[in-house]
Amino acid sequence: MIKAEYIDHMGDDLRVANVARVSFAKWKETLDDTDARLIKFLALHEHTSPFRHTAITVRCSAPVYLARQLGKHQVGMSWNEESRRYVSNKRPVLHKQEFRTRPDGAIKQGSSDVLTVFPTIKLLGNEYPVEMVLEALVDAYEEAVDMTGPYRVAPECARAVLPQNMVVTWVWTGSLAAFFHMYRLRISGHAQKEARNFSDQIGLIIKNLFPACWDALEEATKEH
């Protein structure tokens, strides 16, 4: 489950244009073509500060390994995540992972478009599908936190056995500039497929809120 959902936002295309022209002591009430041209100029010449006078809040869900990649984007962003220190009465959800082969050549990261099957896992002389092993870890986690008496395991410790494809949920707030920076890097063909999936959802949300700004930022990226 990789998902981004809109919660709320502050500002619009006109806000960005007005912030840019405030140095001339001007402020408009209605968006027109001159604002669209101004926004394009700002994006093309990397005048990023007007794009920071905005805020978008989204609720996100992704497997741990992807969330930790996305969490590297900190500047202009704020992140609050559901914690397994406190939440133990909700069964962890596992992301249904697609396994792809390694790319050809000397590339150290990434994957090809060719699907493959993860090898079976050998335990005590038997072989098990990886999905079965991952579900067994979740079962063990639930049993550990539900035990009674002196053997009950604290949730903050029991979470150590949960796999990296466990889905985590967080609320993410950031400026238009900050989200576009994340989007630009994670929508790239060099990014992991799952990251591109997430970034595409973010792009669809924000383009609907700031259409002129988003188009201008994307166009400026192509120019550069």
Side-chain angles (χ1 to χ4, degrees):
M1 181 197 306
I2 297 174
K3 185 166 59 175
E5 300 175 295
Y6 169 79
I7 295 180
D8 58 26
H9 76 289
M10 178 190 76
D12 53 18
D13 288 330
L14 183 59
R15 166 69 59 79
V16 173
N18 276 333
V19 168
R21 62 167 59 91
V22 74
S23 57
F24 295 95
K26 294 181 179 180
W27 194 271
K28 294 173 58 178
E29 298 298 330
T30 305
L31 185 76
D32 58 32
D33 290 342
T34 62
D35 301 301
R37 289 195 294 271
L38 174 57
I39 289 168
K40 286 183 179 180
F41 177 86
L42 296 171
L44 183 62
H45 295 279
E46 299 183 301
H47 296 303
T48 58
S49 62
F51 298 103
R52 298 194 191 106
H53 288 265
T54 56
I56 305 103
T57 299
V58 289
R59 180 179 290 104
C60 310
S61 297
V64 170
Y65 68 81
L66 177 56
R68 298 303 164 254
Q69 287 183 37
L70 297 170
K72 295 178 181 178
H73 299 278
Q74 298 288 350
V75 178
M77 312 284 270
S78 185
W79 175 305
N80 284 80
E81 183 179 315
E82 178 183 282
S83 174
R84 283 279 156 187
R85 289 192 70 198
Y86 312 119
V87 178
S88 61
N89 60 348
K90 189 168 100 177
R91 182 176 175 84
V93 175
L94 299 185
H95 173 65
K96 187 172 177 56
Q97 183 61 44
E98 177 183 271
F99 294 105
R100 301 177 295 275
T101 60
R102 296 183 68 172
D104 295 329
I107 300 174
K108 294 182 179 180
Q109 66 176 17
S111 59
S112 72
D113 293 326
V114 179
L115 295 179
T116 188
V117 177
F118 199 91
T120 54
I121 296 176
K122 298 176 177 63
L123 291 171
L124 301 176
N126 296 312
E127 295 188 4
Y128 301 93
V130 63
E131 292 83 6
M132 183 180 295
V133 174
L134 296 176
E135 286 291 345
L137 287 171
V138 173
D139 290 342
Y141 164 84
E142 286 199 304
E143 183 178 352
V145 297
D146 288 342
M147 291 175 68
T148 59
Y151 299 107
R152 187 180 186 189
V153 180
E156 66 179 34
C157 300
R159 62 181 173 166
V161 307
L162 291 171
Q164 286 211 10
N165 73 325
M166 182 188 77
V167 174
V168 293
T169 300
W170 71 97
V171 173
W172 209 3
T173 298
S175 69
L176 173 58
F179 269 116
F180 185 78
H181 176 69
M182 182 280 297
Y183 169 86
R184 180 175 61 84
L185 295 179
R186 301 299 173 179
I187 203 69
S188 163
H190 298 291
Q192 187 168 345
K193 181 179 178 180
E194 288 77 10
R196 298 198 302 271
N197 179 347
F198 177 86
S199 297
D200 188 54
Q201 293 183 53
I202 290 291
L204 290 174
I205 290 170
I206 301 181
K207 183 172 183 175
N208 186 54
L209 306 174
F210 300 86
C213 289
W214 199 256
D215 285 345
L217 289 166
E218 286 199 298
E219 189 62 34
T221 297
K222 296 174 185 176
E223 292 287 334
H224 293 144

